Amino acid sequence: GNYAFANCESFEKITVPASVNNLGIGVFFSSGIKEAVIEAPITVIPVSFFDGCTKLASLTLPATVEVVSTGAFAECSQLAEIPFLRPVKHVAAGAFTGCRKLTNLVIGTEDTEIGTGTFYGCESLTEIVIPEGIRVIGTSAFSDCVSLTSVSLPSTLETIDSAAFLGCAKIARMELPSSVKILGDSVFSG
Protein backbone atom coordinates (compact mmCIF):
# COMPACT_ATOMS: atom_id res chain seq x y z
CA GLY A 1 0.00 0.00 0.00
CA ASN A 2 0.89 3.66 -0.04
CA TYR A 3 3.78 4.67 2.25
CA ALA A 4 4.09 1.07 3.53
CA PHE A 5 7.70 1.46 4.74
CA ALA A 6 7.85 5.26 4.92
CA ASN A 7 10.17 6.71 7.55
CA CYS A 8 11.41 3.27 8.63
CA GLU A 9 14.96 4.42 9.42
CA SER A 10 16.27 0.98 10.47
CA PHE A 11 14.99 -0.67 7.28
CA GLU A 12 18.10 -1.41 5.16
CA LYS A 13 17.43 -4.06 2.51
CA ILE A 14 14.45 -5.44 0.64
CA THR A 15 13.60 -7.75 -2.21
CA VAL A 16 10.15 -7.23 -3.69
CA PRO A 17 9.28 -10.63 -5.23
CA ALA A 18 7.79 -11.19 -8.67
CA SER A 19 4.50 -12.22 -7.03
CA VAL A 20 3.80 -8.59 -6.06
CA ASN A 21 1.73 -6.86 -8.75
CA ASN A 22 0.91 -3.49 -7.22
CA LEU A 23 3.18 -1.01 -5.47
CA GLY A 24 1.80 2.17 -3.97
CA ILE A 25 2.90 5.76 -3.71
CA GLY A 26 5.90 6.54 -1.49
CA VAL A 27 6.39 2.94 -0.39
CA PHE A 28 9.96 3.59 0.84
CA PHE A 29 9.61 7.35 1.39
CA SER A 30 12.43 8.63 3.64
CA SER A 31 13.33 5.14 4.85
CA GLY A 32 16.84 4.03 5.77
CA ILE A 33 16.95 1.52 2.91
CA LYS A 34 20.43 0.93 1.43
CA GLU A 35 19.70 -1.85 -1.06
CA ALA A 36 16.57 -2.68 -3.04
CA VAL A 37 15.86 -5.46 -5.51
CA ILE A 38 12.55 -5.08 -7.32
CA GLU A 39 11.61 -8.34 -9.01
CA ALA A 40 7.93 -7.44 -9.32
CA PRO A 41 7.04 -6.93 -13.00
CA ILE A 42 5.98 -3.31 -12.53
CA THR A 43 5.71 -0.93 -15.50
CA VAL A 44 5.53 2.25 -13.39
CA ILE A 45 7.79 3.35 -10.56
CA PRO A 46 5.18 5.18 -8.46
CA VAL A 47 5.26 8.79 -7.26
CA SER A 48 7.83 9.37 -4.49
CA PHE A 49 8.60 5.64 -4.40
CA PHE A 50 12.18 6.07 -3.08
CA ASP A 51 11.88 9.81 -2.35
CA GLY A 52 14.20 10.83 0.47
CA CYS A 53 16.05 7.50 0.64
CA THR A 54 19.38 9.20 1.25
CA LYS A 55 21.18 5.91 2.00
CA LEU A 56 20.01 3.96 -1.08
CA ALA A 57 23.16 2.97 -2.98
CA SER A 58 22.27 -0.33 -4.66
CA LEU A 59 19.23 -0.89 -6.84
CA THR A 60 18.00 -3.61 -9.16
CA LEU A 61 14.93 -2.99 -11.32
CA PRO A 62 12.91 -5.26 -13.61
CA ALA A 63 13.06 -4.93 -17.40
CA THR A 64 9.33 -4.14 -17.40
CA VAL A 65 9.73 -0.53 -16.14
CA GLU A 66 8.39 1.98 -18.67
CA VAL A 67 7.52 5.04 -16.56
CA VAL A 68 9.35 6.89 -13.79
CA SER A 69 6.86 9.01 -11.84
CA THR A 70 7.31 12.40 -10.17
CA GLY A 71 9.82 12.29 -7.34
CA ALA A 72 10.37 8.54 -7.73
CA PHE A 73 14.09 8.86 -6.89
CA ALA A 74 14.18 12.40 -5.47
CA GLU A 75 16.93 12.98 -2.92
CA CYS A 76 18.47 9.52 -3.36
CA SER A 77 21.80 11.20 -2.78
CA GLN A 78 23.91 8.00 -2.65
CA LEU A 79 22.54 6.44 -5.84
CA ALA A 80 25.13 6.74 -8.64
CA GLU A 81 23.23 4.84 -11.32
CA ILE A 82 19.65 3.98 -12.14
CA PRO A 83 20.02 0.53 -13.71
CA PHE A 84 17.21 0.38 -16.24
CA LEU A 85 17.54 -2.77 -18.32
CA ARG A 86 15.97 -1.10 -21.34
CA PRO A 87 14.99 2.46 -22.24
CA VAL A 88 11.99 3.85 -20.37
CA LYS A 89 9.15 5.59 -22.20
CA HIS A 90 8.46 8.45 -19.80
CA VAL A 91 10.30 10.28 -17.02
CA ALA A 92 8.18 12.72 -15.00
CA ALA A 93 9.21 16.12 -13.66
CA GLY A 94 11.35 15.97 -10.55
CA ALA A 95 12.03 12.25 -10.90
CA PHE A 96 15.73 12.55 -10.05
CA THR A 97 15.89 15.84 -8.12
CA GLY A 98 18.79 15.84 -5.65
CA CYS A 99 20.41 12.61 -6.84
CA ARG A 100 23.83 14.08 -6.10
CA LYS A 101 25.86 11.05 -7.21
CA LEU A 102 23.83 10.19 -10.32
CA THR A 103 26.13 9.83 -13.32
CA ASN A 104 23.75 8.53 -16.01
CA LEU A 105 21.05 10.55 -17.72
CA VAL A 106 17.66 8.88 -18.11
CA ILE A 107 15.21 10.45 -20.56
CA GLY A 108 12.06 8.71 -21.77
CA THR A 109 12.01 7.59 -25.40
CA GLU A 110 8.49 9.00 -25.86
CA ASP A 111 9.07 12.23 -23.95
CA THR A 112 9.01 15.58 -25.72
CA GLU A 113 9.86 17.53 -22.58
CA ILE A 114 12.36 17.29 -19.75
CA GLY A 115 10.12 18.48 -16.95
CA THR A 116 10.62 20.98 -14.17
CA GLY A 117 13.47 20.04 -11.84
CA THR A 118 13.91 16.56 -13.30
CA PHE A 119 17.69 16.55 -12.73
CA TYR A 120 17.95 19.51 -10.34
CA GLY A 121 20.98 19.13 -8.08
CA CYS A 122 22.44 16.08 -9.82
CA GLU A 123 25.93 17.23 -8.94
CA SER A 124 27.83 14.33 -10.54
CA LEU A 125 26.43 14.64 -14.07
CA THR A 126 29.33 15.78 -16.26
CA GLU A 127 28.01 15.34 -19.77
CA ILE A 128 24.52 15.15 -21.22
CA VAL A 129 23.24 14.38 -24.66
CA ILE A 130 19.60 15.31 -24.97
CA PRO A 131 17.99 13.09 -27.60
CA GLU A 132 16.13 14.14 -30.72
CA GLY A 133 12.41 14.56 -30.10
CA ILE A 134 12.82 16.71 -27.00
CA ARG A 135 11.14 20.06 -27.66
CA VAL A 136 11.20 21.62 -24.15
CA ILE A 137 13.72 21.75 -21.34
CA GLY A 138 11.65 22.73 -18.31
CA THR A 139 12.29 25.21 -15.53
CA SER A 140 15.33 24.25 -13.42
CA ALA A 141 15.57 20.92 -15.26
CA PHE A 142 19.37 20.85 -14.82
CA SER A 143 19.88 23.61 -12.23
CA ASP A 144 22.79 23.09 -9.86
CA CYS A 145 24.32 20.27 -11.88
CA VAL A 146 27.62 21.80 -10.80
CA SER A 147 29.91 19.28 -12.54
CA LEU A 148 28.20 19.60 -15.93
CA THR A 149 30.76 20.56 -18.58
CA SER A 150 29.22 19.38 -21.85
CA VAL A 151 25.66 19.64 -23.15
CA SER A 152 24.46 18.49 -26.56
CA LEU A 153 21.06 19.80 -27.60
CA PRO A 154 18.77 18.24 -30.22
CA SER A 155 17.66 19.92 -33.43
CA THR A 156 14.05 19.49 -32.24
CA LEU A 157 14.50 21.78 -29.21
CA GLU A 158 12.18 24.82 -29.21
CA THR A 159 12.09 26.06 -25.60
CA ILE A 160 14.59 26.31 -22.77
CA ASP A 161 12.63 27.48 -19.73
CA SER A 162 13.80 29.70 -16.89
CA ALA A 163 16.81 28.62 -14.85
CA ALA A 164 17.13 25.40 -16.85
CA PHE A 165 20.92 25.42 -16.42
CA LEU A 166 21.17 27.81 -13.47
CA GLY A 167 24.31 27.17 -11.40
CA CYS A 168 25.99 25.06 -14.09
CA ALA A 169 29.07 27.29 -14.18
CA LYS A 170 31.40 24.64 -15.64
CA ILE A 171 29.61 24.41 -18.99
CA ALA A 172 32.27 25.68 -21.37
CA ARG A 173 30.34 25.47 -24.62
CA MET A 174 26.82 24.83 -25.78
CA GLU A 175 25.40 25.29 -29.26
CA LEU A 176 21.81 26.39 -29.42
CA PRO A 177 20.07 24.82 -32.41
CA SER A 178 18.27 27.14 -34.82
CA SER A 179 15.00 25.51 -33.77
CA VAL A 180 15.10 27.29 -30.36
CA LYS A 181 12.42 29.97 -30.23
CA ILE A 182 12.07 30.68 -26.50
CA LEU A 183 14.76 31.26 -23.86
CA GLY A 184 13.44 31.80 -20.36
CA ASP A 185 14.89 34.05 -17.66
CA SER A 186 18.25 33.22 -16.12
CA VAL A 187 18.64 30.10 -18.27
CA PHE A 188 22.42 29.97 -17.86
CA SER A 189 23.05 32.21 -14.83
CA GLY A 190 25.81 31.39 -12.41
Side-chain angles (χ1 to χ4, degrees):
N2 294 341
Y3 298 96
F5 299 100
N7 300 306
C8 293
E9 278 299 314
S10 60
F11 194 72
E12 293 186 1
K13 182 179 178 180
I14 190 161
T15 298
V16 179
S19 58
V20 174
N21 59 18
N22 186 21
L23 294 169
I25 294 170
V27 170
F28 300 106
F29 181 84
S30 291
S31 72
I33 194 163
K34 294 178 182 177
E35 181 180 346
V37 177
I38 311 296
E39 295 173 349
I42 58 172
T43 57
V44 176
I45 300 191
V47 171
S48 298
F49 194 67
F50 289 109
D51 189 350
C53 293
T54 58
K55 297 176 184 176
L56 182 64
S58 177
L59 178 65
T60 303
L61 296 169
T64 53
V65 173
E66 295 179 348
V67 175
V68 181
S69 299
T70 301
F73 296 99
E75 304 302 328
C76 290
S77 55
Q78 297 303 309
L79 199 56
E81 181 182 10
I82 312 292
F84 293 108
L85 300 178
R86 65 184 181 135
V88 296
K89 292 181 180 178
H90 177 66
V91 175
F96 303 105
T97 295
C99 291
R100 289 176 183 86
K101 291 189 177 180
L102 186 68
T103 58
N104 68 317
L105 187 66
V106 179
I107 296 174
T109 58
E110 295 180 7
D111 286 340
T112 59
E113 177 177 350
I114 298 173
T116 298
T118 300
F119 297 97
Y120 181 96
C122 292
E123 298 173 355
S124 297
L125 282 177
T126 58
E127 180 179 327
I128 57 173
V129 177
I130 298 174
E132 292 296 321
I134 296 295
R135 294 191 328 253
V136 177
I137 297 176
T139 301
S140 299
F142 295 98
S143 288
D144 290 336
C145 291
V146 296
S147 299
L148 196 56
T149 59
S150 175
V151 177
S152 177
L153 301 173
S155 64
T156 54
L157 188 63
E158 297 172 359
T159 302
I160 303 176
D161 280 335
S162 298
F165 294 95
L166 180 77
C168 300
K170 290 186 179 179
I171 296 175
R173 182 172 183 255
M174 180 188 301
E175 274 189 47
L176 295 178
S178 60
S179 57
V180 173
K181 297 173 185 152
I182 299 170
L183 283 176
D185 295 334
S186 303
V187 169
F188 302 104
S189 291

